[in-house]
Amino acid sequence: DIQMTQSPSSLSASVGDRVTITCRAGQSINTYLNWYQQKPGKVPKLLIYAASSVRSGVPSRFSGSGSGTDFTLTISSLQPEDFATYYCHQSYDTPWTFGQGTKVEIK
Amino acid sequence: EVQLVESGGGLVQPGGSLRLCCAASGFTFRDHYMEWVRQAPGKGLEWVGRIKSEALSYTAEYAASVKGRFIISRDDSRNSLYLQMNSLKTEDTAVYYCARDLMALAGTAFDYWGQGILVTVSS
């Protein structure tokens, strides 16, 4: 199985901050990497697919980059509605695997 | 509007069985691979398995943790996805989500999710 490791596990940030979350794969996964946002008690929501493709309707402050084993999700200017947990997900090979999540909290 | 609605969850004793259903609407169900993902209370996301389309012979794949106990099936005439869960263990307690596979050229992503349904395995 391909292990996915996110860092940090949690972070505190203020509205307007630039936030970067990192995801590292245990082996090269090309660009088969997706990012999801999950708010407490809510359903996960796809933000980014194929490492850098922003899903339609997702605010432009969200961006993704990377290839191979190292990936980043960047929120350029954190908004109140962005406080949530973010998960990376590899779709290079089954079993699909997720990172452990990064919780973004209000500072 | 794409909608996925799960049903069939609840409380079951260890060793018991349960069948989840996911009713799909708003898209051409038969064209999409479909997935099951679960989330134990307070934990992260875990992929359970998926089923491909008729074009790929409805092939199903499973996580090691459920292989041999869970069976994924679909009925394209009813726009429905199923998860038959047998020999349930306490560690199967989770919210179960069905999800649609985006099936982009650049790989799998889960672009629509059901609201989730709670399965509790306890005596």
Side-chain angles (χ1 to χ4, degrees), chain B residues 57-116:
Chain B
S57 303
Y58 299 124
T59 300
E61 298 175 276
Y62 301 92
S65 59
V66 306
K67 193 171 185 179
R69 300 188 298 123
F70 289 13
I71 299 171
I72 299 173
S73 61
R74 61 190 295 164
D75 184 340
D76 291 345
S77 69
R78 296 177 181 269
N79 290 341
S80 294
L81 172 72
Y82 304 99
L83 179 64
Q84 177 67 44
M85 303 184 291
N86 301 320
S87 303
L88 281 160
K89 305 175 181 180
T90 54
E91 53 263 41
D92 294 319
T93 294
V95 173
Y96 284 74
Y97 297 99
C98 64
R100 189 182 84 161
D101 187 338
L102 173 64
M103 295 177 63
L105 288 175
T108 287
F110 308 146
D111 63 344
Y112 287 95
W113 297 61
Q115 84 283 359

Side-chain angles (χ1 to χ4, degrees), chain A residues 1 9 12 24-25 27 29-30 34 48 53 70 77-78 85 90-91 99 103:
Chain A
D1 298 5
S9 294
S12 295
R24 175 163 288 177
Q27 66 178 73
I29 58 170
N30 198 333
N34 309 308
I48 306 284
S53 296
D70 295 315
S77 177
L78 197 67
T85 299
Q90 67 80 17
S91 60
K103 187 174 184 179

